[in-house]
Amino acid sequence: TMSDQNNLKFHEAMKRLDEIVTELNKEDLELEKAMALFVEGTKLSSQCEKQLNEFENKVNEVMKHQESNNDIA
């Protein structure tokens, strides 16, 4: 479900995206199933991008804090 997707950790979401890509590459995939997988993949991709941005912001904060501590010493 969608709420379950939002709770996926980054590596779990990436694993699911990989599974979706594998499924979408199958030649005998029905259009309806392909569309559902595409929508799920798009949502997971957005979630991963958001998580990456949050991680990047945290790293930047830590780096700025570390630099300010080095300036004091």
Side-chain angles (χ1 to χ4, degrees), residues 22-53:
T22 299
E23 284 293 312
L24 286 173
N25 283 323
K26 292 183 177 177
E27 291 182 21
D28 60 345
L29 187 63
E30 293 178 8
L31 182 58
E32 293 81 6
K33 177 74 173 173
M35 190 55 156
L37 287 168
F38 178 78
V39 170
E40 180 184 357
T42 301
K43 291 175 182 175
L44 284 170
S45 177
S46 295
Q47 174 190 335
C48 288
E49 184 177 0
K50 180 181 176 190
Q51 287 177 328
L52 281 175
N53 288 334

Side-chain angles (χ1 to χ4, degrees), residues 60-72:
N60 287 336
E61 286 177 28
V62 169
M63 296 300 289
K64 285 179 187 175
H65 181 72
Q66 184 65 32
E67 287 174 6
S68 66
N69 285 344
N70 288 341
D71 290 343
I72 295 172

